[in-house]
Amino acid sequence: DRAPMGPTVHIHNGILQVRAPNYEDPPGLVEKTDFLLREWINIYNSQHQGRDSTKAFSIFVHQMNVHGILKTDDLITRFFRLSTQLCVETVYRALLDKSNANMTLIRPKCYHTLDAFVRLVSLLVKHSGDANNTTTKIHLLNKVLGIVAGCLLQDHDTRTVDFQQMPYQRIFTMLFLELNAPEPILEAINLHVLTAYCHTFHILRPSKAAGFCYAWLELISHRVFIGRMLATTPQQKCWSLYAQLLVDLFRYLAPFLRNAELAKPVTMLYKGTLRVLLVLLHDFPEFLCDYYYGFCDVIPPNCIQMRNLILSAFPRTMRLPDPFIPNLKVDMLPEISYAPRINTNISLTISPAQFKKDLDSYLKARAPVTFLSELRSNLQISNEPGVRYNISLMNALVLYVGTQAIAYIRNKGLTPSMSTIAHSAHMDIFQNLTVDLDTEGRYLFFNAMANQLRYPNSHTHYFSCTFLYLFAEANTEVIQEQITRNPTYKFWQHQFVHCAPEIEKLFESVARSCFVKTS
Amino acid sequence: GVAPLGAVPLQKEHQQQFQLMEAAYYHMPHPSDTERIRTYLPRNPCNTPSYYIQAPLFNSDTPEFYQRLGTETLFFVFYYMEGTKAQYLAAKALKKQSWRFHTKYMMWFQRHEEPKIINEEYEQGTYIYFDYEKWGQRKKEGFTFEYKYLEDRDLN
């Protein structure tokens, strides 16, 4: 985990406040908070308020002052913690009240309490410090998010299977919507708001709070959240933060998905994930293009559909050639000379440092041969079937060697082709992996290569040549079969293929072309 | 599904995660949890037979669609779906049909005839208005519509 410093320091402080084993509140503070909060909820829900309760708010702030709540930072924090806990308790009481059979009436009751609290928080954030003092506002927001996150984790750990997602989800969503209202004060701090939310969601990722996973998925896929993260913020400043959240999601799902026996709760989360990916593929294909590597690195290799959604993304400005045109000259496409953007530092993933060093020197000198014979043991981490290999290292190695190969060929003034890729240190490595690995290793190796076959770019071109070369040079039929079994070809069996008529047509023609070949 | 690498038993950590996720599965988020409170028309999801339409008509959230709706429907949307895009579209459609909103009476007025008096501050004449309490259109003769109560924000 990130050390509690930098931009997240106030979030972590908020969490620590709640999670500290024995925080003692000054006498009477609980009662004061309870009184003030009730007062505010009444004011908020009573009629004839200004549209955003501004007038009532200034009177209320005066009251908070009278009760000494605003005297110190510590007291303010405690006030927020106690308020969050009081609101959450109210919700639990309402939801568990069995005499109240009509759920459509219970929920609005909970919303009245939670929405009032949210409005109070947003007004306090908005009006803390001078109008132009963004720092104070951001600190307060971070603190509050940390406190709510801390309360959530505490609640999640103590109530375990009785934990309720609703109060926290509503607080997060409604506060987010309030803070994204079209007002100059809020627009000035928007990037900070988004950053604070991403850090908070990352802290609350499903592997840390599994009982919150459905609400969490809804939070990160909320239309306003996605819009702000991927569309409205200039210069794609939030893309990497959003990619991190998706990686959190894939990582969590991975152990459940790899066994392919999906229990209902997993299926539900998986389906939701696919829907989010479909939205992203449709609306933000460039985002999936840029972060495909990190995503495919954590998605288990058997999740073909998920990976295909990611790998089929291509920049909207690009016109893909029809792959079924007879004699399509891929070599002539101008796009294949451009490298795709990759937002992961692959060379850092290649570890240990000595292995990276040996790799680089082999690529340079094409010696010693022992490097090749030791390659397999560098990739293998156990003897247990199914978990023998370090998949991340395999992925990084394949892409790294490939990009180095492209650079090497270009340096010679040539372009990658079936003849220029052969007989080099790079191809030595690939051929060695093909021959020397066992079935499991080879499967992962081919997968790592297939992950690079995407829209027309230099990687796609290089790796498709490499695939064909390895196929042609293969000394056993097992290898050829394993290449052909490449999961990418099982595309058309999947539902998402039928979502658009053009795509369906495309796959029909794949099927037809395969039929022609085999008959 | 397929598991080419073979099944691997879940580690203890993942078993615990599964338990918590399973519990959460039985109290899923409700659509209304992430929406503003709907005072009059709360969501009440229930299973409807598949031969009834399951999703609203295509383009039913456009100004053109709202202009085709009956006036009473527009009034209903305006009064019972406060703070939504639907309310905004209804108001827009009503304005297009020459209805004007009176911010003091909170009712929509339409000229029944050319006003008898028009000056800087008000106009006076016979109007049709929609009474949301009696839920119907009424006529008012000799009514003074003060312009300070005219809702004249540009809805674009």
Side-chain angles (χ1 to χ4, degrees), chain A residues 263-445:
Chain A
K264 265 192 200 164
V266 180
T267 309
M268 184 61 100
L269 195 65
Y270 174 67
K271 272 192 187 166
T273 306
L274 287 187
R275 289 178 92 160
V276 176
L277 282 175
L278 268 175
V279 168
L280 295 175
L281 178 63
H282 185 269
D283 290 0
F284 305 100
E286 292 88 356
F287 169 73
L288 290 183
C289 282
D290 283 6
Y291 291 90
Y292 85 103
Y293 182 84
F295 297 157
C296 288
D297 203 36
V298 290
I299 296 174
N302 65 319
C303 300
I304 297 157
Q305 193 170 6
M306 250 167 110
R307 283 190 313 137
N308 281 344
L309 281 173
I310 292 162
L311 295 176
S312 60
F314 63 91
R316 261 173 298 195
T317 48
M318 188 175 272
R319 280 193 60 88
L320 296 192
D322 177 357
F324 301 106
I325 294 175
N327 303 319
L328 173 70
K329 293 270 184 290
V330 177
D331 302 23
M332 305 302 283
L333 295 175
E335 289 91 349
I336 63 159
S337 51
Y338 300 113
R341 279 204 296 189
I342 293 182
N343 284 292
T344 314
N345 194 338
I346 294 144
S347 44
L348 285 181
T349 322
I350 302 177
S351 65
Q354 188 56 46
F355 176 62
K356 173 74 174 25
K357 240 175 149 178
D358 293 347
L359 171 65
D360 282 329
S361 67
Y362 184 83
L363 290 178
K364 223 177 189 169
R366 215 178 165 185
V369 243
T370 46
F371 175 76
L372 294 178
S373 50
E374 284 160 13
L375 202 47
R376 178 175 171 166
S377 58
N378 273 305
L379 291 166
Q380 195 162 346
I381 43 173
S382 85
N383 282 317
E384 292 288 308
V387 286
R388 281 200 188 110
Y389 292 93
N390 181 344
I391 299 182
S392 274
L393 181 57
M394 178 85 84
N395 290 337
L397 177 73
V398 166
L399 183 54
Y400 182 73
V401 172
T403 49
Q404 294 292 310
I406 297 169
Y408 171 76
I409 296 164
R410 289 261 170 75
N411 268 343
K412 293 198 288 187
L414 301 166
T415 49
S417 71
M418 286 298 279
S419 52
T420 55
I421 60 169
H423 312 300
S424 65
H426 314 89
M427 192 51 84
D428 288 349
I429 292 174
F430 289 148
Q431 278 185 299
N432 187 269
L433 290 172
T434 314
V435 177
D436 200 31
L437 291 174
D438 56 13
T439 320
E440 183 179 329
R442 211 181 295 128
Y443 170 76
L444 295 171
F445 166 53

Side-chain angles (χ1 to χ4, degrees), chain A residues 86-243:
Chain A
L86 286 167
C87 289
V88 170
E89 272 167 41
T90 311
V91 171
Y92 270 97
R93 266 201 306 280
L95 290 178
L96 297 175
D97 184 0
K98 294 276 183 287
S99 65
N100 236 331
N102 192 347
M103 278 310 272
T104 48
L105 293 177
I106 295 172
R107 290 189 111 87
K109 252 194 207 165
C110 301
Y111 303 157
H112 278 297
T113 304
L114 297 166
D115 292 2
F117 174 58
V118 163
R119 174 63 53 82
L120 180 60
V121 172
S122 76
L123 286 170
L124 282 168
V125 168
K126 223 160 72 178
H127 297 290
S128 68
D130 304 327
N132 296 322
N133 186 345
T134 51
T135 322
T136 321
K137 299 184 214 307
I138 300 306
H139 284 182
L140 185 61
L141 173 66
N142 276 283
K143 195 70 141 298
V144 175
L145 289 177
I147 288 165
V148 178
C151 289
L152 189 160
L153 291 170
Q154 179 93 322
D155 193 16
H156 181 266
D157 294 353
T158 47
R159 294 198 212 233
T160 62
V161 293
D162 295 320
F163 173 77
Q164 293 278 356
Q165 314 172 73
M166 189 264 259
Y168 303 100
Q169 182 185 9
R170 185 148 185 107
I171 292 174
F172 283 129
T173 311
M174 289 306 172
L175 184 59
F176 186 78
L177 294 177
E178 298 237 332
L179 295 174
N180 280 281
E183 292 170 41
I185 295 185
L186 295 174
E187 274 155 19
I189 59 167
N190 193 254
L191 186 60
H192 298 283
V193 172
L194 296 175
T195 315
Y197 260 84
C198 283
H199 288 312
T200 309
F201 290 163
H202 177 64
I203 290 166
L204 298 174
R205 60 194 177 274
S207 56
K208 298 284 171 192
F212 190 60
C213 67
Y214 301 108
W216 187 89
L217 180 57
E218 285 204 351
L219 285 169
I220 71 153
S221 59
H222 192 283
R223 64 194 163 78
V224 181
F225 187 64
I226 291 188
R228 289 276 167 169
M229 294 299 294
L230 299 183
T232 5
T233 309
Q235 297 163 322
Q236 308 175 347
K237 271 186 190 152
C238 293
W239 281 24
S240 62
L241 287 168
Y242 194 73

Side-chain angles (χ1 to χ4, degrees), chain B residues 2-128:
Chain B
V2 283
L5 296 181
V8 172
L10 287 183
Q11 288 165 18
K12 201 167 170 230
E13 177 197 2
H14 301 135
Q15 287 174 15
Q16 283 168 352
Q17 286 174 356
F18 181 80
Q19 265 181 7
L20 294 169
M21 176 166 51
E22 193 180 31
Y25 178 77
Y26 292 102
H27 25 87
M28 270 300 171
H30 192 277
S32 60
D33 290 348
T34 50
E35 293 173 342
R36 302 228 170 272
I37 294 180
R38 302 179 176 202
T39 318
Y40 302 106
L41 302 165
R43 275 187 188 259
N44 190 9
C46 45
N47 286 321
T48 50
S50 58
Y51 45 82
Y52 288 126
I53 65 164
Q54 304 287 319
L57 294 173
F58 182 69
N59 271 344
S60 61
D61 58 348
T62 57
E64 296 74 32
F65 183 87
Y66 274 76
Q67 273 161 40
R68 297 210 305 269
L69 296 175
T71 327
E72 195 174 326
T73 309
L74 294 175
F75 288 128
F76 177 79
V77 171
F78 183 83
Y79 287 109
Y80 286 86
M81 299 171 76
E82 206 188 332
T84 62
K85 184 181 177 187
Q87 188 195 36
Y88 163 80
L89 289 171
K92 224 173 142 155
L94 284 167
K95 279 195 176 181
K96 195 144 194 188
Q97 293 170 33
S98 304
W99 288 89
R100 297 288 173 262
F101 190 63
H102 195 291
T103 56
K104 186 180 166 195
Y105 299 122
M106 307 297 262
M107 290 184 197
W108 291 86
F109 286 76
Q110 195 183 44
R111 285 178 186 170
H112 185 62
E113 48 168 39
E114 268 304 297
K116 301 228 160 46
I117 310 168
I118 297 183
N119 61 34
E120 290 280 292
E121 270 112 49
Y122 64 87
E123 58 181 62
Q124 198 180 62
T126 307
Y127 292 84
I128 307 285

